Amino acid sequence: MFMPGAYSSRMSDAFPSGTGPSLLDLLIEWQEGVGDRDRLIQRLTQLGPEQGAQVQQLIQEVQNSLAPTPSHAAPPPSPAEWRSELMACRARVWPAPDPAGLLVGPDVMILTDGHAGTIVRDHGARTLPGSVAASLMLLCQTIIMAQNAVDAQELSRLQQQRITANSTSLSDIEPVQ
């Protein structure tokens, strides 16, 4: 379990000074119930494509702060619950030079860089084994590629509709003689 209180008074280097709370501080605020998960997600999604190192840093900060999971902790979700959570995820990917991925589901937020990863919930976090982190990075990339393909198909369909609509309306215009 992530121990948020241990870091709430420190600011990380995830963001330059003067730009607000760090990613770690936003995560801690969310888990302590004084912040909003959407604010953390918004900050993460506003990072530019070349800022994956900040996501990697957040993963390391969370993993360095993890305490052993208490024996009375909630049991892990069933495979069906986990599958449902993953199917509902939205994704964001930061490409090279510092690859990282984000999956946001109804109840979890997953951060991965392909080598390390963590599952973050409102009440704690768990470290992912390297093989799972790699698989989740591929899932992030697959979701993005699928969305781009759907967007391209939709764009093509809309362009074809526009061409058809223009050619129909243009054919109604009488030529000048």
Side-chain angles (χ1 to χ4, degrees):
M1 171 157 322
F2 180 59
M3 300 299 291
Y7 285 98
S8 59
S9 63
R10 97 179 239 279
M11 292 295 282
S12 138
D13 295 328
F15 281 90
S17 61
T19 61
S22 71
L23 291 171
L24 182 61
D25 289 329
L26 290 172
L27 188 144
I28 291 168
E29 289 173 3
W30 163 47
Q31 289 190 326
E32 289 179 341
V34 295
D36 185 12
R37 177 177 105 142
D38 290 338
R39 186 170 175 215
L40 172 60
I41 293 166
Q42 180 182 21
R43 180 71 71 86
L44 283 164
T45 57
Q46 287 175 346
L47 293 175
E50 70 290 344
Q51 293 178 300
Q54 292 183 25
V55 178
Q56 291 176 350
Q57 179 182 351
L58 179 61
I59 292 168
Q60 288 307 308
E61 289 174 333
V62 171
Q63 288 184 345
N64 291 339
S65 303
L66 288 175
T69 303
S71 58
H72 65 277
S78 71
E81 292 169 329
W82 182 239
R83 184 174 23 262
S84 176
E85 183 77 29
L86 288 176
M87 293 301 290
C89 280
R90 296 172 290 148
R92 171 75 156 86
V93 173
W94 291 267
D98 302 303
L102 167 69
L103 290 165
V104 177
D107 297 318
V108 301
M109 184 175 70
I110 303 167
L111 300 164
T112 182
D113 64 9
H115 303 287
T118 187
I119 298 173
V120 184
R121 297 179 183 274
D122 60 356
H123 59 276
R126 290 185 186 257
T127 298
L128 296 171
S131 61
V132 174
S135 294
L136 289 172
M137 184 68 178
L138 286 172
L139 178 60
C140 289
Q141 293 167 334
T142 302
I143 290 170
I144 297 300
M145 286 189 306
Q147 184 62 48
N148 289 342
V150 168
D151 289 347
Q153 287 175 342
E154 182 67 12
L155 180 62
S156 177
R157 186 184 66 76
L158 291 172
Q159 287 173 333
Q160 187 58 45
Q161 281 180 345
R162 187 170 148 229
I163 290 168
T164 303
N166 283 342
S167 64
T168 301
S169 61
L170 291 176
S171 66
D172 294 337
I173 299 173
E174 295 292 324
V176 176
Q177 305 225 6

